[in-house]
Amino acid sequence: MDRGFGMSAPHPIPDSLVAGAHGFTPVSRRSYAADDNEDNDSAFESTLSSRPNYFSQGHETGDGVGVGSFLSPGSPQRQISNRSPRPVVLEEEEEVIVFVETPNKKLFCRLCNNVFKDPVIVSCGHTYCRSCVLASVDGVCPVDGQKLMIIVANIAVLEQVAELVIHCKYGCRFDEGTQKYVVDPSLCPATFKLGSRIEHERDCDYMMVECPNNVDCPMLLKKDLEDHLKSCSNVHCPYQKYSCDFIGTQDELEEHLKLCKFEGMKDFLQRTDERVTDLQMSLNQKDQEVEFLRSMLGRLSERLENLEKTVDMKLELVDRNQNKIMDEIVNNQKDISAMTEEMSNINNRINLGATAGAYDPISMFKCKGTWVGHLGPVWCLCAMGDYLFSGSTDKTIKVWDTSSSYKCVKTMEGHTGIVLALCTYGHNLFSGSQDCTIIVWNVDTYESTHVIKAHDNPVCTLVAASNMLFSGSLKVIRVYDVHTFELKRELTGLNHWVRALAVTSEYLFSGSYQTVKVWNLQTLECVRDLETSGGSVYSIAITNHHVLCGTYENCIHVWELSNFQQLETLMGHSGTVYALAVLHTASGTKVFSASYDRSLRPLYSPEGPPFPSICPFILDARAWNICGT
């Protein structure tokens, strides 16, 4: 299966975005009441009763109300809370739902015979409460006997139940005779939709609250609290924690503060409290750091112990193998002279150019050095004259001198995302990035001259020909004028990410999912579809006689360029074939393939068909260090 840019292939662009399921996550009744940001639907899920017109066995926490909200008016300097903030309603309240009209029977769950709460659609198509499905003993649908398996939340039913009209719970009382909650005309008369009950009930004037001054005061209706506070005789001095034991009415408190010895020290006391708070926070932070260091020390000790055991095992292995290695060295020395003589003969044949197949691959393809400079993986290369350009995850393009200094001569910055594609045309270098733009650089000054807002998705590949710049992205190829940078045309009809583009004098080749499309370069019309069987196409190369493409599923397909007939499927790599390159030499045409399996495989193509399927040798990329990758 082609996973696109998934975790199995180290490409930075995902093939698709996984959208979140559209539905509601149940929330506990204890959490919704104190959350001012809950939406109506979530609040409804939390407050929906399991029984219409009856008291449910759930609980909800009362809304927290600060003491300062109910203090009597007075001097601004005297508006000091004399107690720590706490909820006015301390005990948990019973959840009460009394419907104005009996709900439609279609809104009742067949498992619990109550109005739906968090309705879900199961595998057989019926709708039940989520809790009923999870708590079902036999786990089968009572209608058709099929196994209950939750598929998705039933948003339509949820919205219908949320539209049911109920009485305010502070307008109902419990009737001992009927053992039900009934409407009390002397209490709150409000009615509202079930989905918006919290908006009213969190601030209902008929809510029972406590006096913030003293727990000994009787419970009050919220609407009567303000009048009570004006006459409450249990008001404490705001400096009670500093041992001031005054208790009286609000008016007496005003007179007391004029004589209180702590009032004149309030600025000092406030600064002292702030300092103590800061010190406490600092102490807590230090405690956390100490715990973290202790944890790290424990891990390091464990790791050191494991390393000691590993070293002991390896030392024992070295001792056992030492004698064996010495014996092998003696035996190998006997073969060195023969191998030296053979290599000398091969080198002589290469120097004389006797035949096309008489060269030493190891000496021809030898790592000459290492360029290090990028801070992340290198995703693309492009050569122009004596200079090599490399694009990296670190969002930069580096310019390397390949003729004299063999050093990085310039670092070009401008992209805000990974540099995924490079190509040149005339005196310009074009770079495509994950930030969905193409930047045009002058190769003489290494300065950015233009920025093209190319796509709505990352730019995966670039190629230029016939005064046109082609850029590939998700299901589209855009064609720009290479001089004016204006969009000339969009090539559509592609089924996936376009990760590979190649061009000849007549055709443009584009690779996507299991398809290589051939476009006429003059008309920009698709003239042929070349089907593959190895998932997404990641690379394309064109020789004088062949079209080659590397795929996600480790294979290379070969077609004849003249008639687009498939000749061969090369199976040698064990990883995605990310790149193909063509090299024309005196001994013939060579195609190199690079794969996620850390190897390069040279292939040999004659000047005409058929194309051979044998790779004569492998260059192990794990022994190379290329540009810091």
Side-chain angles (χ1 to χ4, degrees):
M1 179 183 294
D2 177 23
R3 300 171 185 166
F5 293 108
M7 293 301 294
S8 63
H11 203 286
I13 309 168
D15 281 344
S16 63
L17 299 176
V18 181
H22 178 64
F24 296 90
T25 302
V27 295
S28 68
R29 296 172 185 160
R30 298 178 183 272
S31 64
Y32 80 88
D35 187 357
D36 292 340
N37 296 323
E38 284 284 333
D39 59 18
N40 290 340
D41 289 334
S42 297
F44 158 68
E45 289 187 49
S46 302
T47 58
L48 183 59
S49 171
S50 63
R51 201 170 199 178
N53 295 322
Y54 285 81
F55 157 61
S56 172
Q57 296 300 322
H59 298 280
E60 65 180 10
T61 302
D63 298 330
V65 182
V67 174
S69 301
F70 302 103
L71 291 179
S72 301
S75 172
Q77 291 80 7
R78 302 295 170 85
Q79 294 298 317
I80 302 175
S81 174
N82 54 17
R83 301 184 66 183
S84 300
R86 60 181 178 84
V88 173
V89 182
L90 297 179
E91 67 276 4
E92 293 182 345
E93 297 182 356
E94 298 174 342
E95 184 181 76
V96 179
I97 297 180
V98 178
F99 293 98
V100 175
E101 296 180 358
T102 302
N104 190 306
K105 63 180 181 179
K106 294 183 179 179
L107 298 180
F108 285 75
C109 173
R110 288 189 178 94
L111 292 177
C112 63
N113 296 322
N114 297 323
V115 173
F116 282 115
K117 181 174 182 180
D118 191 10
V120 295
I121 300 175
V122 295
S123 55
C124 62
H126 295 102
T127 299
Y128 301 103
C129 302
R130 183 185 297 271
S131 58
C132 295
V133 174
L134 298 178
S136 177
V137 177
D138 52 8
V140 297
C141 176
V143 178
D144 52 25
Q146 296 189 29
K147 184 177 179 181
L148 294 176
M149 182 179 299
I150 296 176
I151 302 300
V152 69
N154 194 330
I155 308 301
V157 172
L158 187 65
E159 292 176 348
Q160 290 181 51
V161 177
E163 293 295 317
L164 296 176
V165 181
I166 64 172
H167 292 277
C168 175
K169 69 179 181 180
Y170 300 115
C172 302
R173 61 176 177 82
F174 186 72
D175 187 358
E176 295 291 344
T178 61
Q179 294 295 306
K180 301 178 182 179
Y181 275 89
V182 296
V183 177
D184 189 340
S186 64
L187 299 178
C188 180
T191 60
F192 37 78
K193 293 180 180 179
L194 183 57
S196 59
R197 65 175 301 184
I198 290 183
E199 296 179 5
H200 169 82
E201 292 181 350
R202 67 156 55 98
D203 295 319
C204 182
D205 288 338
Y206 290 85
M207 179 194 309
M208 296 301 293
V209 297
E210 290 181 353
C211 174
N213 295 324
N214 195 294
V215 294
D216 295 331
C217 292
M219 295 290 290
L220 306 166
L221 295 178
K222 182 178 178 181
K223 65 186 182 66
D224 299 330
L225 180 59
E226 185 174 356
D227 292 336
H228 169 77
L229 290 175
K230 294 178 181 180
S231 59
C232 181
S233 59
N234 294 316
V235 179
H236 290 264
C237 178
Y239 303 108
Q240 180 185 15
K241 66 178 180 179
Y242 301 113
S243 73
C244 181
D245 52 4
F246 170 83
I247 300 177
T249 64
Q250 185 68 31
D251 294 336
E252 292 172 347
L253 175 63
E254 295 290 334
E255 294 299 325
H256 164 75
L257 289 176
K258 297 178 181 179
L259 302 175
C260 183
K261 61 183 179 180
F262 297 104
E263 179 71 7
M265 303 170 59
K266 64 180 180 181
D267 292 338
F268 170 76
L269 294 175
Q270 182 178 1
R271 291 194 299 270
T272 301
D273 287 344
E274 292 175 354
R275 180 59 178 166
V276 170
T277 301
D278 293 340
L279 291 175
Q280 186 64 44
M281 292 178 61
S282 178
L283 181 60
N284 293 338
Q285 183 178 0
K286 295 299 181 183
D287 289 341
Q288 293 177 1
E289 293 176 357
V290 169
E291 290 299 324
F292 173 76
L293 291 175
R294 287 177 179 173
S295 175
M296 293 299 297
L297 182 60
R299 294 181 182 178
L300 290 175
S301 299
E302 182 180 356
R303 184 176 180 185
L304 179 60
E305 183 179 354
N306 293 333
L307 288 176
E308 289 177 350
K309 294 180 180 178
T310 303
V311 170
D312 291 340
M313 294 176 59
K314 291 185 176 180
L315 288 176
E316 293 178 1
L317 181 62
V318 169
D319 291 338
R320 290 197 301 267
N321 293 337
Q322 185 175 4
N323 294 332
K324 181 179 178 181
I325 293 174
M326 295 301 298
D327 293 339
E328 292 178 353
I329 291 176
V330 173
N331 294 331
N332 290 337
Q333 287 177 345
K334 297 177 181 179
D335 298 332
I336 290 178
S337 58
M339 293 177 62
T340 302
E341 183 178 357
E342 182 178 355
M343 291 177 63
S344 177
N345 293 334
I346 294 175
N347 287 332
N348 290 335
R349 294 174 66 186
I350 291 175
N351 294 333
L352 295 176
T355 62
Y359 67 91
D360 180 5
I362 303 302
S363 64
M364 287 188 64
F365 304 106
K366 183 178 179 181
C367 180
K368 300 296 185 180
T370 301
W371 283 331
V372 179
H374 281 297
L375 301 179
V378 177
W379 292 102
C380 52
L381 295 173
C382 180
M384 185 176 187
D386 293 331
Y387 295 97
L388 177 69
F389 303 91
S390 60
S392 169
T393 301
D394 61 15
K395 307 173 185 178
T396 67
I397 302 168
K398 289 188 178 292
V399 186
W400 311 89
D401 183 1
T402 65
S403 61
S404 57
S405 66
Y406 299 100
K407 295 182 179 179
C408 177
V409 299
K410 183 70 175 180
T411 298
M412 298 187 291
E413 300 178 351
H415 283 293
T416 59
I418 299 172
V419 181
L420 298 173
L422 294 171
C423 77
T424 59
Y425 194 89
H427 289 279
N428 289 329
L429 170 71
F430 300 90
S431 61
S433 169
Q434 188 185 23
D435 61 16
C436 309
T437 66
I438 300 173
I439 297 182
V440 185
W441 310 84
N442 187 299
V443 296
D444 296 325
T445 62
Y446 305 123
E447 298 294 333
S448 172
T449 61
H450 193 77
V451 178
I452 304 174
K453 295 181 179 179
H455 292 275
D456 297 328
N457 294 285
V459 180
C460 299
T461 180
L462 293 171
V463 70
S466 302
N467 295 320
M468 291 180 289
L469 174 66
F470 302 91
S471 65
S473 185
L474 179 62
K475 296 184 179 181
V476 67
I477 301 172
R478 289 189 174 177
V479 186
Y480 295 89
D481 188 289
V482 80
H483 300 295
T484 63
F485 315 124
E486 294 181 356
L487 178 64
K488 297 180 63 176
R489 187 164 176 181
E490 284 190 355
L491 308 184
T492 57
L494 298 138
N495 61 2
H496 210 263
W497 288 95
V498 180
R499 299 187 180 92
L501 291 174
V503 68
T504 65
S505 60
E506 298 181 13
Y507 301 110
L508 169 71
F509 298 84
S510 63
S512 53
Y513 181 73
Q514 294 189 345
T515 304
V516 174
K517 284 186 175 291
V518 185
W519 309 82
N520 185 291
L521 206 57
Q522 301 299 322
T523 63
L524 297 180
E525 298 293 335
C526 181
V527 296
R528 182 69 65 94
D529 285 340
L530 308 180
E531 296 184 358
T532 69
S533 60
S536 291
V537 176
Y538 276 78
S539 55
I540 298 176
I542 312 296
T543 69
N544 293 334
H545 299 281
H546 301 101
V547 179
L548 300 91
C549 78
T551 69
Y552 174 82
E553 295 182 358
N554 319 334
C555 60
I556 301 173
H557 295 278
V558 185
W559 292 272
E560 200 170 327
L561 182 60
S562 60
N563 55 18
F564 302 115
Q565 295 297 316
Q566 185 166 0
L567 301 177
E568 192 71 55
T569 298
L570 308 181
M571 304 296 296
H573 284 293
S574 60
T576 300
V577 182
Y578 278 112
L580 294 169
V582 179
L583 179 65
H584 300 284
T585 66
S587 60
T589 299
K590 303 172 182 62
V591 180
F592 295 84
S593 60
S595 169
Y596 183 57
D597 62 14
R598 294 183 168 184
S599 69
L600 305 178
R601 292 179 178 256
L603 312 171
Y604 297 90
S605 171
E607 292 305 315
F611 195 93
S613 59
I614 299 176
C615 172
F617 65 95
I618 301 173
L619 302 179
D620 191 350
R622 288 171 289 187
W624 294 15
N625 187 357
I626 304 176
C627 296
T629 62

